[in-house]
């Protein structure tokens, strides 16, 4: 296992609360940087990215969830990528990033629980080799903030974070835009010294 880690920000858009009965409609990924155990080296998150829009896997959807992304289910049913093709393609992309950087890939998200649930389920259901992050190589940015800020998780929303941590990019609910924005949040959190305990 490489001693370095390459962090990859991920964001998804879905048409319901859980995978299986509902569908992941799009996802985006952006490389954040590399940590060698001592030094974090940030990367331009817009430089190495992956984006896919997927065919729905069921007829069910929650209109309010669909409205968040602004994606068109009928258009995706006709033009979206097949989930197996997309999940195999992004697995290959992650593997190539890891190989080129000689680093183990780690997925980062905010909040991790939602995005990871969808991505992991889709990898295990559709990808030939399963998850390129294994079952546990991931980092929750909300928890990272709560730990560094010495605050409760319920007080770890973006609205409660110091202005210097927040990315300059807008949150658009396009999965790639949001993965890039989130990568900047991760970089800011890594550099941030946090608040003292006590």
């Amino acid at each position: 296992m490489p001693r370095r880690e390459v962090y990859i920000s991920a964001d998804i858009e879905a048409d319901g609360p859980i995978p299986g009965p509902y569908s992941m409609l799009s996802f985006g990924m952006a490389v954040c940087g590399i940590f060698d155990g001592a030094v974090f080296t940030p990367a331009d998150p817009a430089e190495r990215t992956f984006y896919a829009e997927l065919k729905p896997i069921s007829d069910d959807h929650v209109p309010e969830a669909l409205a968040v992304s602004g994606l068109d289910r009928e258009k995706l049913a006709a033009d979206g990528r097949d989930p197996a093709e997309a999940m195999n393609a992004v697995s290959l992309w992650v593997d190539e990033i890891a190989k080129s950087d000689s680093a183990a890939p780690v997925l980062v998200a905010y909040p991790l629980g939602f995005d990871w649930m969808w991505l992991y389920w889709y990898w295990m259901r559709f990808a030939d080799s399963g998850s390129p992050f294994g079952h546990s190589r991931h980092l929750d940015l909300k928890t990272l903030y709560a730990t560094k800020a010495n605050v409760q998780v319920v007080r770890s929303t973006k609205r409660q974070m110091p202005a210097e941590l927040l990315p300059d990019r807008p949150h658009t609910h396009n999965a790639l835009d949001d993965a890039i924005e989130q990568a900047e949040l991760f970089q800011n959190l890594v550099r941030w010294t946090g608040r003292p305990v006590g």
Side-chain angles (χ1 to χ4, degrees):
M1 178 70 68
R3 293 185 178 179
R4 291 157 33 113
E5 293 179 337
V6 56
Y7 295 93
I8 299 174
S9 171
D11 185 76
I12 75 101
E13 297 296 332
D15 64 9
I18 57 172
Y22 303 101
S23 305
M24 180 166 67
L25 301 180
S26 67
F27 65 88
M29 296 197 181
V31 176
C32 307
I34 293 174
F35 181 56
D36 66 4
V39 176
F40 175 73
T41 305
D44 177 352
E47 192 172 287
R48 293 191 289 173
T49 64
F50 189 99
Y51 178 70
E53 295 182 355
L54 310 178
K55 292 181 184 297
I57 60 171
S58 78
D59 293 331
D60 291 334
H61 70 280
V62 177
E64 294 83 2
L66 184 61
V68 170
S69 69
L71 293 167
D72 183 327
R73 276 178 54 91
E74 288 186 12
K75 186 174 186 304
L76 290 175
D79 302 329
R81 293 171 74 165
D82 175 77
E85 183 276 326
M87 300 318 289
N88 279 309
V90 73
S91 291
L92 181 60
W93 179 81
V94 170
D95 289 345
E96 288 173 350
I97 293 291
K99 184 176 179 181
S100 69
D101 291 342
S102 299
V106 177
L107 185 140
V108 300
Y110 179 100
L112 175 75
F114 183 76
D115 299 280
W116 178 252
M117 169 179 65
W118 285 92
L119 288 165
Y120 187 70
W121 190 93
Y122 265 68
W123 271 313
M124 299 310 290
R125 173 67 179 83
F126 294 112
D128 295 337
S129 57
S131 165
F133 298 95
H135 69 278
S136 63
R137 275 199 320 272
H138 46 64
L139 180 65
D140 177 33
L141 300 192
K142 193 167 187 173
T143 304
L144 179 61
Y145 171 75
T147 303
K148 282 195 159 193
N150 188 33
V151 297
Q152 297 168 308
V153 170
V154 295
R155 300 191 185 280
S156 300
T157 66
K158 290 179 186 176
R159 274 185 230 131
Q160 294 163 312
M161 292 182 183
E164 68 264 25
L165 291 179
L166 300 177
D168 294 327
R169 300 171 191 265
H171 191 78
T172 67
H173 290 292
N174 170 281
L176 181 55
D177 289 348
D178 291 353
I180 293 170
E181 177 214 13
Q182 186 177 258
E184 289 188 357
L185 174 62
F186 173 70
Q187 293 170 347
N188 293 342
L189 277 167
V190 169
R191 287 188 288 256
W192 190 49
T193 55
R195 294 177 180 148
V197 176

